[in-house]
Amino acid sequence: MGMDIPLAIPECRVARFVERHEDHLVIPVRLDAASGRCPECGHASRSVHSRYHRHPSDLPLSASQTKLRIEVRRFYCLNPTCRRRTFAETPMTLLAPRARRTRRLGEAQARVGLACGGAGGARLLAHLHMPASRATVLRLVTRIPMPDAPAPIRVGIDDWAIRKGSRYGTIVVDLDRRRVVDLLPDRTALTVAGWLERHPGVELVARDRSTEYARGASLGAPQAQQVADRWHLLTNMRQAVERWLHGAHARLRSLPLLPGLTVRPARRDRAFARSTPELEAGAQSRMRWRAVYDEVRRRHAGREPLLAIARALGLARATVRKYASAETFPARLPHGAGPSLLDPHVAYLAGRIDEGCENAMALWREIRERGYPGTNRQVHRFVAERRTRPVRSGRKARSAKASASEPPGSEAPLPPARQLAWLLVQPTSVLDVSEAAVVSRVEQDDTARAVTGLARRFTALVRAAGKGKRVADDQDAAADIEAWITKART
């Protein structure tokens, strides 16, 4: 079936009719040139040797996949000194030699690959009637020439995981344009120094506190100023607050709750009770780590370096640092209430228990009719924690064993040190009601209030740094930083 459709194809003359097939269109075309030019010697020739057809894919037309049927002529080379006897004409603007797709189709597929990636681009191209495999999409993306960019002046360097935990490289970012400049195969000082030597215009290097990157920047760009980037400054502040909290967490847990903030939503407020073997294993683990804590404190009091203590006891240096700075043993907090299939039925079970029904199997059958998909095991645990009458076997109620194993202060728990450090460095305006209540409770302690104030002030200064473009703003920011450093040292 034919259609009369006007088309514009570079270097080609389109036939009158376009062939319409079930799943694609075929456009027969011929090349406009009256003669061909030998690629070897450059002589023109009109002597036709033979003809053949090429069938490359082109941009879709009328929501259909499109193919061209190009009639290609092969000419005789009439130059007697040329080693080629025949040659074929090639539409260089439209098609590369031996290509199965036109240049404009390949460019469109590559642009989709840049936006969506290999697999995502392949799925989208199939919908756009420009099908290509994900490997082809990635190959087209890699063939796109890199755009010309000005030489970077201020760069940021950091490591990135080629394979997490096994192999790492270095990423280089142009801080002025906020674009990735290069990816280096490793994170050694020599590799970084080599890259900086090839870019002599670098005036500033923002990095983390890695000594390897510091040495690489000093070797490759001795004229450049080295600074810590804002992300690592904020991370270091949160980590410093977290290390302080590891030592003060036990003291902060004993702080009273503020009045009016004890209301909790109707849900499970603790994890299911553990069995007796689990409780005994946990107690033995706490005893072992308490002995390790006492040994670290004893060695630290004797002026032994942290690295030597870590090597002697076979511990991580971060663990030794945490134990050395902790005023009391940083016991592991009790497990909170994780998500459970029983959560939608807690209110119903609590009401039935208040009515006097403590038969776990009967309650399980009732909530199963209400849509509970789990077994009766969690229902037994839930009822055991709230049982008011002893069971017929005479076993001790679970609630008594659970309460005996809970550490003091579990009635008003605090978030872990890592989560609490994140709350303390945030502006108060971004905290919700429950988070603000936790921070207010912690700030009852004078030292915690001072630490929180310093952390918030530093975070605000770092986030505001660099936003002002005037010299006066930069001078004010520098004065604020100096004032903060003086206050922190006191």
Side-chain angles (χ1 to χ4, degrees), residues 418-459:
R418 186 181 184 87
Q419 181 180 350
L420 186 56
W422 173 256
L423 297 179
L424 295 183
V425 300
Q426 297 299 310
T428 54
S429 58
V430 303
L431 301 178
D432 57 26
V433 177
S434 59
E435 294 171 345
V438 172
V439 173
S440 299
R441 177 189 171 194
V442 170
E443 287 182 342
Q444 295 178 92
D445 183 84
D446 294 337
T447 307
R449 186 165 57 252
V451 170
T452 303
L454 287 170
R456 287 192 190 133
R457 179 58 179 162
F458 181 82
T459 302

Side-chain angles (χ1 to χ4, degrees), residues 123-250:
R123 291 192 294 268
L124 179 59
L125 287 171
H127 177 72
L128 297 177
H129 307 288
M130 297 184 290
S133 67
R134 59 182 181 180
T136 299
V137 173
L138 293 177
R139 185 173 66 252
L140 293 173
V141 168
T142 58
R143 289 179 180 176
I144 297 178
M146 295 294 292
D148 295 332
I153 299 176
R154 287 173 285 270
V155 299
I157 57 176
D158 202 354
D159 54 354
W160 66 286
I162 301 175
R163 183 178 180 184
K164 191 172 182 179
S166 175
R167 187 183 174 194
Y168 290 85
T170 299
I171 184 172
V172 185
V173 180
D174 188 337
L175 299 180
D176 294 320
R177 298 188 302 121
R178 298 186 178 183
R179 297 287 183 87
V180 176
V181 177
D182 206 347
L183 295 176
L184 307 182
D186 55 45
R187 50 182 176 179
T188 61
L190 294 179
T191 301
V192 174
W195 189 93
L196 291 173
E197 289 174 354
R198 295 190 298 271
H199 299 79
V202 174
E203 299 178 359
L204 183 141
V205 177
R207 56 174 180 82
D208 59 12
R209 301 185 185 276
S210 168
T211 56
E212 195 73 6
Y213 284 154
R215 189 164 65 92
S218 300
L219 293 174
Q223 79 285 353
Q225 181 183 6
Q226 300 183 36
V227 300
D229 60 70
R230 291 192 297 169
W231 187 88
H232 283 97
L233 287 175
L234 296 175
T235 300
N236 294 151
M237 170 53 68
R238 183 193 57 77
Q239 291 171 345
V241 175
E242 182 181 346
R243 287 195 297 270
W244 177 80
L245 285 172
H246 279 304
H249 204 277

Side-chain angles (χ1 to χ4, degrees), residues 272 275 278 364 372 374-383:
F272 290 116
S275 62
E278 290 174 334
W364 172 64
Y372 173 64
T375 63
N376 58 18
R377 184 174 182 181
Q378 290 190 357
V379 180
H380 276 284
R381 290 181 172 181
F382 183 85
V383 174

